[in-house]
């Protein structure tokens, strides 16, 4: 898992409530357990006017020019601004995979579904939960400015630009894992010496298990 580093990015406003995981990455694309390749089909039903039922990845698909991700100014955006209950629905881990593979590193919302939250942090996607009033202010700014940029500093737990500074809360353990780039495998490998010592003692006491 990549270490989370501070960055600055334009904010993509997704002004839709209750965005479920099937909207994030539709079920027909869940054909792989690799974490890459899902970005092309992120929000597939909203980004395109035709269907890619087999997940062929056709390059001649009809783009929905009205959908926010298809606006040119948001092409390189790393921050998705969302409404409440983002990531509800089924527990598919492919949802954060698709968001990360597309290029998003941070999702800002007033609330997230529990399982989606767990899957996101385990894969290095930072979820920032803010009060609904602050979310509304940010959406208003995206409407007025069209190109709202924010900096994200996880170490200091701040989202900011020249006009605003917003503090956010995060579990200390999740923060440590994101900053150090540690998923569950990485955390386990930190104890590799202790694991090896245990195995040697165990097999010495029970040699018939070898």
């Amino acid at each position: 898992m990549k270490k989370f580093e501070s960055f600055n990015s334009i904010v993509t406003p997704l002004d839709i409530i209750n965005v479920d995981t099937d909207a994030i990455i539709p079920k027909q694309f869940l054909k792989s357990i690799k974490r890459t390749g899902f970005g092309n089909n992120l929000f597939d039903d909203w980004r395109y006017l035709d269907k890619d039922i087999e997940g062929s990845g056709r390059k001649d698909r009809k783009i929905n020019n009205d959908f926010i991700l298809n606006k040119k100014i948001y092409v390189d955006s790393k921050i998705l601004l969302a409404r409440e209950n983002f990531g509800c629905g089924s527990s598919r881990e492919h949802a954060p995979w698709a968001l990360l593979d597309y290029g998003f590193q941070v999702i800002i919302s007033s609330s997230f579904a529990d399982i989606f939250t767990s899957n996101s942090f385990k894969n290095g996607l930072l979820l920032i939960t803010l009060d609904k009033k602050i979310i509304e202010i940010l959406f208003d700014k995206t409407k007025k400015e069209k190109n709202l940029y924010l900096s994200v500093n996880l170490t200091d737990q701040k989202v900011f630009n020249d006009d605003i500074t917003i503090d956010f809360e995060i579990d200390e353990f999740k923060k440590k894992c994101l900053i150090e780039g540690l998923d569950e495998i990485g955390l386990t490998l930190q104890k590799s010496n202790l694991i090896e010592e245990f195995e040697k003692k165990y097999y010495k006491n029970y040699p018939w298990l070898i």
Side-chain angles (χ1 to χ4, degrees):
M1 194 168 83
K2 292 182 179 180
K3 294 182 179 180
F4 189 96
E5 298 179 352
S6 299
F7 68 90
N8 178 269
S9 170
I10 192 171
V11 177
T12 300
L14 184 64
D15 199 357
I16 305 172
I17 64 170
N18 300 322
V19 175
D20 64 45
T21 52
D22 193 55
I24 296 171
I25 183 70
K27 57 186 178 297
Q28 65 267 30
F29 304 113
L30 310 184
K31 298 178 180 179
S32 172
I33 57 173
K34 295 180 180 179
R35 301 186 183 190
T36 58
F38 296 102
N40 289 334
N41 299 112
L42 177 69
F43 299 122
D44 197 88
D45 291 340
W46 297 340
R47 284 170 67 191
Y48 303 100
L49 298 175
D50 58 357
K51 299 291 183 181
D52 187 16
I53 297 175
E54 299 300 323
S56 62
R58 294 191 345 262
K59 294 181 180 180
D60 62 341
R61 297 185 66 188
K62 297 179 180 178
I63 302 295
N64 177 7
N65 292 315
D66 293 328
F67 184 56
I68 194 70
L69 262 66
N70 291 329
K71 306 293 184 183
K72 289 184 178 180
I73 61 172
Y74 301 118
V75 169
D76 297 319
S77 175
K78 297 179 181 180
I79 302 173
L80 183 67
L81 177 65
R83 292 292 186 180
E84 63 265 28
N85 201 28
F86 187 87
C88 57
S90 68
S91 60
R92 66 194 67 173
E93 194 170 4
H94 297 71
W97 291 354
L99 288 158
L100 285 164
D101 192 58
Y102 181 84
F104 288 118
Q105 295 183 32
V106 173
I107 314 294
I108 300 175
S109 175
S110 58
S111 62
F112 297 93
D114 289 342
I115 297 177
F116 175 78
T117 298
S118 177
N119 287 337
S120 294
F121 280 107
K122 287 179 181 179
N123 285 280
L125 180 64
L126 173 60
L127 306 184
I128 296 178
T129 305
L130 301 176
D131 186 270
K132 279 188 177 182
K133 293 180 180 179
I134 298 177
I135 295 294
E136 198 63 50
I137 290 172
L138 292 176
F139 269 107
D140 286 343
K141 282 184 170 293
T142 62
K143 292 174 183 177
K144 294 175 182 177
E145 299 179 23
K146 298 297 181 183
N147 56 347
L148 174 66
Y149 277 81
L150 289 175
S151 293
V152 179
N153 187 315
L154 177 55
T155 303
D156 295 336
Q157 297 177 209
K158 294 184 183 296
V159 176
F160 61 94
N161 60 21
D162 291 339
D163 299 321
I164 56 173
T165 298
I166 304 167
D167 296 314
F168 63 89
E169 299 295 324
I170 183 173
D171 176 82
E172 283 298 323
F173 176 70
K174 291 178 179 177
K175 177 180 176 179
K176 171 184 169 65
C177 289
L178 287 171
I179 290 174
E180 296 184 10
L182 295 172
D183 55 14
E184 291 177 328
I185 295 174
L187 285 166
T188 302
L189 289 175
Q190 286 189 322
K191 306 294 184 181
S192 59
N193 291 337
L194 294 175
I195 294 170
E196 288 177 6
E197 288 178 12
F198 170 81
E199 288 178 338
K200 289 177 181 178
K201 291 179 182 178
Y202 188 82
Y203 290 129
K204 183 178 180 180
N205 294 329
Y206 306 99
W208 59 85
L209 294 177
I210 299 177

